[in-house]
Amino acid sequence: LKFKGRYCLPIYDPRGDVMGFTGWDRDEEVRYLAAVPYGYKAKRTTFYGMEKLERAYKRGYFVFVEGPVCKLYIEGFGVLSGALLGSGMSEYVGRIINRFGENGIIIPDCDEAGDKLVSLSKYMTPKARVYQSIVAKDVDDTRRKMGNDDIMEEIINIIKNQNFKGKILKRR
């Protein structure tokens, strides 16, 4: 009953097979419970949204955020995205992000852990573009504060224009 009272989100591998779960509750101090793997080290070998990789390679971009709820929000607007399941990045996930070069877009939370992810991203994925909200903690909180149109317009402009300078999302 680890996820009792939480939304339970399946984590898929690139083929679409379930390889673990994570639980989310907006009202709890700890919003996410760690992913439960089945034969995998979930945070080392995966991220939430791996089943979208083939489509992302064809489209030539992928947006990475920290949490699954931000990923689901962005994806609701047709933007291919994945969640790192926290503010860390394994070497394996870094290699996947590097395949996208400048079209690997990382949007860490705007907090202490997110700032560490910014530094880690610059080291592990030097060509990826990294942006942080200057309005709220994460994409979902920014959306609640600013509305859907403004934040999604910036994310779409970031995807389309490698030199885009946003008013909500600042390049780091």
Side-chain angles (χ1 to χ4, degrees), residues 1-42:
L1 297 175
K2 182 174 184 172
F3 297 130
K4 185 178 180 182
R6 292 177 180 268
Y7 291 100
C8 187
L9 306 169
I11 300 169
Y12 300 99
D13 69 13
R15 294 181 313 243
D17 296 327
V18 174
M19 60 187 287
F21 295 90
T22 190
W24 178 78
D25 187 333
R26 179 179 54 163
D27 298 324
E28 291 291 327
E29 186 175 328
V30 177
R31 288 186 179 183
Y32 293 100
L33 291 180
V36 176
Y38 289 94
Y40 295 91
K41 300 278 189 201

Side-chain angles (χ1 to χ4, degrees), residues 8 18 53 63 73 93 118 123 145 149 151 153 156 165 169 172:
C8 187
V18 174
L53 275 174
V63 177
Y73 168 71
V93 172
V118 169
Y123 172 73
K145 189 170 185 176
D149 294 342
I151 184 68
E153 183 179 328
I156 290 166
K165 294 183 185 335
L169 297 171
R172 298 290 311 264

